[in-house]
Amino acid sequence: IPPIKGLDGKGKEKSFPPDPDKPFVGLLFKIQSDKHEELGFVRIYSGTLKPSSRILSTRLNKKENITRLMKIQADRKLLIESASAGDIVGVIGLKDSVTGDTLCDPKEPALLEQITFPETVISTRIEPESSADKDKLANTLAMLQREDPTFRARVSADTGEVLISGMGELHLEVICEKIKQDYHVKIRTGKPRVSYRETLKGPGRATGQCHRQIAAGTLFAEVEIAMEPIADDGGSPFEFFNRLAGEPSIPFEHVATIEDQLREECRGSGMYGFPLSQIRATLLSAQYRDGESNEQAYRLAVAHAVQQILAQAGTNILEPVMKLEVRTPEEYLGDVTSDMAARRAAIENVSMRGQLQVITSAVPLREMFGYSTSLRSLTQGRAVYTMEPLRYAVAPADVAQQLM
């Protein structure tokens, strides 16, 4: 195969050839957890990997230890002494790296193209049946999040309850069964609910400031931020651009702090309490004073700027839209399409596949609860469907009004 392309330690494009004698570069593409240890699946693109070696996790800029190396064959795990370019192996010893991270030789930093995971679209409440299981549940959820990047767990700031989020009803059902059966934690769950988002109605621009007197002296920071909505094209829900690149007016580490705080502000909540999504943020300018400007000051200044932009531009509520494919005998086609229209589905295509009619549409997730039961009733159990996240779209006025 040809060399894979990525970035070197200085951010410049570089090719990594499939040569066992070159520095090690690999991609961690899966984590499998059990009670005793975590097994990472790594594809090696360049170089050679051996047990008891120390490697660099590029995203974290942190070194990890590889204690054991395995060749995986179904449920058999065979210990091996080395693996080289082209191999897919299991590794034991990773502590902080997660799915999608680049692993490499510490002397030759590298960064491969990162995996983009879709936003979660549905959430539900979860709690342990007894207080004795509280810590056990927290540890289990943390382990499941490392194993599955499309699964999220968080504690609601308003109610203190634990909310888990995923790609659909079935996804959360599987997660809950895994918690009960594999980790032996007794839990109660609430009804699934749609995970809404917010985005800006239009572009906004503001200058955020922090000028405070504290016991240790003065805190100062000033940043000018521009934010605008972007279309959901399947890419990242947040984009950051730094207009100061090449002519930095502040130390580089503070630019990283500004970007991190902007991401945190978007993960927080907009005007209606939902996380912000489909946002492009641009750092236009920043002021720095030696001895007065630090990480805390820039975080406060960014938060101030974002608050001004939200008030200035306003926000729209976004609802998750799913790609729905229904396969049904032709005699039920009319009933199925009528039901889909009632669920606000936009039918994109109807075609024949063998003896079945295949209907492809885009439908709001809000309208799809209980659809499997409804479809069975309409078609005497002869139709089947598949559904996957497609995009986030602006919710209709009546739906937005109910949520407000």
Side-chain angles (χ1 to χ4, degrees):
I1 63 171
I4 189 169
K5 292 183 178 180
L7 303 176
D8 63 14
K10 297 180 180 179
K12 295 181 180 179
E13 189 171 302
K14 182 179 179 180
S15 294
F16 303 97
D19 184 343
D21 296 324
K22 294 293 185 180
F24 165 70
V25 178
L27 181 70
L28 177 62
F29 66 88
K30 178 180 173 65
I31 292 177
Q32 184 174 304
S33 304
D34 61 30
K35 297 177 185 177
H36 309 293
E37 60 190 10
E38 288 188 345
L39 175 65
F41 289 80
V42 176
R43 173 165 182 175
I44 302 175
Y45 285 97
S46 185
T48 299
L49 181 63
K50 295 182 178 180
S52 303
S53 58
R54 198 160 171 80
I55 60 172
L56 177 70
S57 180
T58 309
R59 179 184 62 87
L60 300 170
N61 194 27
K62 183 176 181 180
K63 292 180 181 179
E64 297 261 37
N65 293 316
I66 302 296
T67 57
R68 284 178 286 164
L69 207 58
M70 300 178 180
K71 186 175 285 289
I72 310 297
Q73 295 177 329
D75 60 349
R76 294 168 53 209
K77 299 174 183 176
L78 178 65
L79 289 173
I80 56 177
E81 292 304 316
S82 70
S84 57
D87 287 338
I88 293 177
V89 294
V91 300
I92 301 292
L94 299 176
K95 298 294 184 184
D96 301 303
S97 298
V98 297
T99 302
D101 281 355
T102 301
L103 306 176
C104 62
D105 186 328
K107 296 178 182 178
E108 296 285 342
L111 180 64
L112 302 178
E113 183 179 356
Q114 293 181 297
I115 302 171
T116 300
F117 300 103
E119 289 280 293
T120 57
V121 296
I122 192 171
S123 61
T124 190
R125 175 180 54 81
I126 185 174
E127 62 183 17
E129 287 191 357
S130 66
S131 57
D133 284 333
K134 186 175 180 181
D135 290 340
K136 192 175 179 182
L137 176 61
N139 293 334
T140 299
L141 292 175
M143 194 178 296
L144 289 172
Q145 286 184 93
R146 281 177 46 76
E147 183 177 312
D148 182 356
T150 61
F151 170 69
R152 298 281 185 272
R154 65 181 180 88
V155 178
S156 171
D158 297 328
T159 63
E161 63 187 6
V162 178
L163 299 175
I164 59 173
S165 305
M167 296 291 99
E169 285 182 277
L170 181 60
H171 187 196
L172 294 187
E173 286 175 15
V174 170
I175 290 287
C176 290
E177 284 303 309
K178 198 168 187 178
I179 293 171
K180 296 174 188 175
Q181 301 297 329
D182 295 355
Y183 297 96
H184 307 291
V185 181
K186 295 181 179 179
I187 56 172
R188 290 188 293 262
T189 58
K191 291 183 179 180
R193 55 190 182 190
V194 174
S195 295
Y196 291 95
R197 298 285 186 271
E198 291 180 52
T199 193
L200 294 173
K201 289 182 177 179
R205 182 171 174 169
T207 299
Q209 296 177 328
C210 171
H211 198 176
R212 296 185 180 184
Q213 292 292 330
I214 58 173
T218 302
L219 277 183
F220 171 82
E222 184 176 299
V223 294
E224 186 179 11
I225 304 289
M227 297 175 72
E228 60 183 326
I230 56 176
D232 186 354
D233 56 4
S236 172
F238 176 86
E239 295 179 1
F240 174 75
F241 290 96
N242 175 21
R243 288 279 180 85
L244 306 182
E247 298 181 6
S249 57
I250 64 173
F252 175 76
E253 62 267 22
H254 292 317
V255 175
T257 297
I258 291 169
E259 179 181 357
D260 183 64
Q261 186 60 31
L262 281 166
R263 292 181 184 276
E264 284 297 319
E265 292 294 323
C266 288
R267 281 193 288 264
S269 61
M271 299 179 69
Y272 303 107
F274 302 112
L276 291 165
S277 185
Q278 308 313 131
I279 298 290
R280 177 185 290 124
T282 305
L283 174 60
L284 300 174
S285 65
Q287 301 298 321
Y288 173 81
R289 291 181 186 172
D290 191 26
E292 297 182 4
S293 301
N294 59 18
E295 178 179 337
Q296 180 187 1
Y298 282 109
R299 289 189 182 277
L300 291 170
V302 169
H304 181 219
V306 173
Q307 290 169 6
Q308 293 181 75
I309 292 172
L310 290 176
Q312 176 189 126
T315 62
N316 285 320
I317 294 177
L318 300 175
E319 63 176 356
V321 176
M322 313 296 283
K323 179 182 178 182
L324 175 67
E325 184 180 279
V326 180
R327 299 181 292 283
T328 178
E330 189 169 3
E331 58 263 37
Y332 304 111
L333 180 62
D335 292 336
V336 171
T337 53
S338 295
D339 180 67
M340 291 170 69
R343 295 174 184 272
R344 295 195 284 130
I347 296 176
E348 298 173 349
N349 188 45
V350 180
S351 60
M352 286 292 294
R353 187 180 299 169
Q355 300 299 314
L356 298 176
Q357 292 278 356
V358 180
I359 311 162
T360 305
S361 65
V363 59
L365 177 61
R366 175 188 175 96
E367 309 293 341
M368 292 303 292
F369 290 112
Y371 184 64
S372 57
T373 302
S374 176
L375 188 63
R376 282 197 299 269
S377 299
L378 288 171
T379 64
Q380 299 180 22
R382 296 176 63 190
V384 294
Y385 78 97
T386 58
M387 187 170 65
E388 62 185 59
L390 181 61
R391 61 177 180 271
Y392 270 87
V394 176
D398 59 328
V399 174
Q401 190 63 38
Q402 293 175 32
L403 296 171
M404 294 175 194

